[in-house]
Amino acid sequence: MEDIEDLLIGGGGGAPPGYRLPITAVGVKPKKKNMFKSNASADDSSNEPSPIQNPLVPKIPGTQTIYVKTFGCSHNQSDSEYMAGQLSAFGYLLSDNPEDADLWLINTCTVKSPSQSAMDTLITKCKNAKKPLVVAGCVPQGSRDLKELEGVSIVGVQQIDRVVEVVEETLKGHEVRLLNRKTLPALDLPKVRKNKFIEILPINVGCLGACTYCKTKHARGHLGSYTVDSLVRRVRSVINEGVREIWLSSEDTGAYGRDIGVNLPILLNAIVSELPSDASTMLRIGMTNPPFILEHLKEIAKVLSHPCVYSFLHVPVQSGSDAILSAMNREYTVSEFRTVVDTLTELVPGMQIATDIICGFPGETDEDFCETINLIKEYNLPQVHISQFYPRPGTPAARMKKVPSAIVKKRSRELTSVFEAFTPYNGMEGRVERIWITEIAADGIHLVGHTKGYIQVLVIAPETMLGTSATVKITSIGRWSVFGEVIEIISTKHHKTTTLEDTLTQDKVSPCSNTHETCACSTEPESCACGLESCKGAVAVGDEVNSSRNVPSPEEPKRKNLIEWVLRRRKSHVLPKREETENPIVTERKQTLAGGRLDEWGVVDKILVGGILISTFTIFGLLFHLGSTTFSSSW
């Protein structure tokens, strides 16, 4: 299979890899009438450019507001963070509100049909809103002739370091398409992280496989690895910036380095040697397919046992049937998958494995599906991502005879039911574990930490504990996570040892730097980021993205109107002493999320509410009186 980028270069007049073409030489298409004209052709051109300028958009580059939306994997999230960083460094503002933005930047995913359908909906919404639009990611790179992409600018997956140029030209009313292959984007580009404590580090792009169902290969292409030295330099840099978790990300981590004469264990050992000895920064190894780690299992097990590396690995199996694995062209057998899991489980204390399953692949019989069910039951894996088969255009599997959709859905429900019946965390209650805390749970009350085995632990603690490590006692278990009570914050070179009570007396500081306040990169989670028991269905963690939510600070309410101002606590109001024994952190966060309670209002608040109620009743009374008078006069 030829790489689409090679096809583009070989198609005439392209640049050799690594050469930067001037922006005017790469697909700039000035608009004539309507910059979002639906019937625009990819070959339209004009000798008399007449770009349409939006009078509401400032003409000075770098003064506009950009909305960034991300679909897909952690690699996509990293790309969005890099693009957001460059735009921010150039002066652009980043917003999580699309209505406030002057331009939308959508980073897309082509793995599944639902992700692409969501992208199509968002593109249509953007066009209807007459907003300039730039589409990035795997969809335009792998399917550049899609009708939905007509009339919009495109940034290829290896052109993210030129996003500022594309945004500038798009705001001028031009359509720009940068898709050609070039050298890999630099790792030291400006970056705005969605979570300031987590660095998603791409170690390679593309893969060596040729799975019959995969569309990502069309977009990301053949394997291209960053050098060990460049990755080690990046690790040193992000540790100095205060990062507490480094996620190695790629389309297949196990294939790393085979194109440049090195391998994954060489890289892992080089990175581990740079991690702080106090384990204040942890390493998480990303998704790896079975074929390329079989020969390195013992070396990888040794790395996974290191105190600074999470004992967790995402190894997709996709099916428990060798016949289906062959039809998928997965290049391994079920027995080889078992070897990976058994070896790592035996050699790595507390090892946790996550996997993926595709239900209803073309040709899957009831017997094939039973083999998959039995495999999942045998290993009782704590995290399984279950997907229905989606035929992706242009892939060999899309031409295969499909399993009826009703059967596919039935199998997906059956496997999900089996998986959800597992209780993988039984026996953890009462244990003392070390966790690394990096996120705020979706409920806005708990903080999220992970054990050495990357088991999610929810604790009630002040937000100042984000970015720290602590020992906790597991107090209860849930289906998707466990709950813990903080015993002690572990001393590192960044944090002295303190108890939770000591932490409660510290001044409250927002855990989120400007990265949270400015980064508009949002993601479609592909892993279990559930705060409590709210997870629906089976999930995976292999390429997990950040699930942190910003919880509004009680000292900084956003008062958009009088009613909202009244319903929130006043900035200077002192809360009355509570007699309940409820944890004060829970109390504060509940009050923040609820917007304050009636018994916390001051005199001015109550007078304003009373005035509003009186005015409302008066208006209704006048309307009733007028209606009665009119009715009487009509008789």
Side-chain angles (χ1 to χ4, degrees), residues 348-365:
V348 183
M351 184 68 197
Q352 297 284 305
I353 302 284
T355 196
D356 299 345
I357 295 291
I358 296 175
C359 291
F361 188 82
E364 183 184 66
T365 64

Side-chain angles (χ1 to χ4, degrees), residues 87-294:
L87 291 167
S88 180
F90 199 78
Y92 290 99
L93 299 176
L94 303 173
S95 173
D96 57 4
N97 184 356
E99 305 303 323
D100 294 340
D102 300 307
L103 177 142
W104 292 12
L105 172 59
I106 304 175
N107 196 2
T108 60
C109 173
T110 191
V111 172
K112 300 178 187 177
S113 298
S115 296
Q116 189 161 333
S117 297
M119 176 211 73
D120 295 341
T121 301
L122 198 58
I123 288 176
T124 300
K125 183 178 179 181
C126 183
K127 289 181 176 181
N128 291 338
K130 300 291 190 290
K131 300 275 190 179
L133 174 62
V134 175
V135 177
C138 292
V139 170
Q141 187 75 66
S143 306
R144 60 195 177 104
D145 295 327
L146 282 177
K147 181 179 179 181
E148 290 81 5
L149 299 177
E150 292 179 357
V152 303
S153 291
I154 289 174
V155 179
V157 294
Q158 292 188 31
Q159 298 278 9
I160 61 172
D161 56 352
R162 302 188 70 184
V163 66
V164 172
E165 301 167 70
V166 176
V167 165
E168 283 183 0
E169 293 298 323
T170 304
L171 286 168
K172 293 176 184 177
H174 296 150
E175 178 186 340
V176 184
R177 295 196 165 201
L178 294 182
L179 290 168
N180 288 3
R181 177 183 290 278
K182 57 188 285 295
T183 54
L184 297 176
L187 293 171
D188 59 355
L189 293 169
K191 196 170 191 180
V192 176
R193 299 186 188 91
K194 187 170 179 65
N195 184 328
K196 72 174 183 178
F197 298 114
I198 297 175
E199 166 70 8
I200 303 172
L201 180 59
I203 62 173
N204 57 264
V205 300
C207 68
L208 293 175
C211 300
T212 56
Y213 57 84
C214 182
K215 185 74 172 178
T216 305
K217 180 64 177 278
H218 294 201
R220 295 284 182 178
H222 300 303
L223 182 67
S225 303
Y226 286 94
T227 66
V228 172
D229 287 344
S230 66
L231 291 164
V232 168
R233 285 196 301 271
R234 181 63 181 173
V235 167
R236 290 178 189 147
S237 174
V238 301
I239 289 174
N240 291 333
E241 292 171 10
V243 162
R244 296 290 172 260
E245 284 186 6
I246 299 172
W247 298 358
L248 302 187
S249 177
S250 76
E251 281 64 59
D252 186 355
T253 301
Y256 169 79
R258 289 175 178 257
D259 57 320
I260 58 175
V262 295
N263 57 41
L264 182 60
I266 291 174
L267 173 65
L268 294 179
N269 286 315
I271 291 177
V272 166
S273 67
E274 299 293 331
L275 299 176
S277 59
D278 58 8
S280 56
T281 299
M282 295 291 288
L283 178 69
R284 197 188 80 174
I285 304 173
M287 184 276 290
T288 179
N289 289 309
F292 299 115
I293 62 169
L294 279 167

Side-chain angles (χ1 to χ4, degrees), residues 259-330:
D259 57 320
I260 58 175
V262 295
N263 57 41
L264 182 60
I266 291 174
L267 173 65
L268 294 179
N269 286 315
I271 291 177
V272 166
S273 67
E274 299 293 331
L275 299 176
S277 59
D278 58 8
S280 56
T281 299
M282 295 291 288
L283 178 69
R284 197 188 80 174
I285 304 173
M287 184 276 290
T288 179
N289 289 309
F292 299 115
I293 62 169
L294 279 167
E295 62 188 273
H296 301 301
L297 277 178
K298 290 186 178 180
E299 296 169 275
I300 292 175
K302 184 177 179 181
V303 173
L304 289 167
S305 300
H306 191 280
C308 297
V309 182
Y310 286 119
S311 305
F312 168 85
L313 199 60
H314 178 196
V315 186
V317 63
Q318 305 300 5
S319 174
S321 163
D322 283 337
I324 296 303
L325 291 178
S326 177
M328 293 177 172
N329 197 29
R330 289 290 289 171

Side-chain angles (χ1 to χ4, degrees), residues 617-632:
F617 285 125
T618 302
I619 291 170
F620 277 114
L622 289 172
L623 290 174
F624 179 77
H625 177 72
L626 290 173
S628 300
T629 304
T630 303
F631 180 77
S632 299

